[in-house]
Amino acid sequence: MPDQDVKVDVFQRDVFELTRAIPSGRVTSYGAIAKSIGSAGASRRVGWVLNTSFSAIPPVPAHRVVNRKGMLTGRMHFPEEHAMETQLKAEGIEVKNDMVVNFEAVFWDPQVEWLD
DNA sequence: CATCTGACCTAGT
DNA sequence: AACTAGGCCAGAT
């Protein structure tokens, strides 16, 4: 099989695995994920992969992934309109006006805390 | 088949 | 510090 397909598969697998490793009550960013799996700059692909994560087994907590500013940019893509915010709040993360409150405090850096 | 778009980020001006 | 441009790469049109 073509190398490209393999790369995509690995990329997707890594994104899923890393995202599942995000502790409850914490969030991370697309760029941080991309960087820690060796694809720095490919943050847009992370979004695409997460979009396919809704049907993934086991489920991927895509609601814990936001952009660099702590903004819930992907909430409109969730199955239900307020799913992302609701789930975050259920985990103890405060969300106001589509923004994670105290973002720096709840930010989870995969490169530091996700050790193989 | 060509062009645009997007759950983004960094760097340059 | 605000703004622009470029890069990333797969889907959609």
Side-chain angles (χ1 to χ4, degrees):
Chain A
M1 45 195 191
D3 290 349
Q4 282 188 334
D5 292 349
V6 175
K7 278 186 181 178
V8 169
D9 185 65
V10 169
F11 185 87
Q12 176 173 320
R13 185 197 54 133
D14 286 348
V15 169
F16 283 3
E17 186 178 349
L18 197 155
T19 304
R20 290 195 195 102
I22 302 174
S24 178
R26 295 301 223 44
V27 296
T28 193
S29 74
Y30 304 96
I33 292 174
K35 189 174 183 181
S36 34
I37 63 177
S39 297
S43 35
R44 301 195 104 134
R45 285 201 336 182
V46 176
W48 168 72
V49 169
L50 286 178
N51 211 8
T52 71
S53 73
F54 292 113
S55 54
I57 305 294
V60 175
H63 59 278
R64 294 181 189 149
V65 185
V66 296
N67 75 350
R68 210 23 181 133
K69 301 170 191 165
M71 189 179 292
L72 306 183
T73 45
R75 84 174 177 158
M76 56 177 93
H77 296 278
F78 274 70
E80 299 190 9
E81 195 143 329
H82 298 290
M84 192 171 187
E85 180 176 338
T86 300
Q87 288 178 80
L88 285 175
K89 284 182 174 176
E91 296 180 356
I93 298 176
E94 293 182 54
V95 177
K96 184 135 191 167
N97 198 17
D98 295 339
M99 298 274 295
V100 174
V101 178
N102 206 7
F103 176 61
E104 290 185 3
V106 295
F107 181 74
W108 181 80
D109 186 351
Q111 273 212 112
V112 175
E113 313 201 37
W114 183 67
L115 305 175
D116 203 326

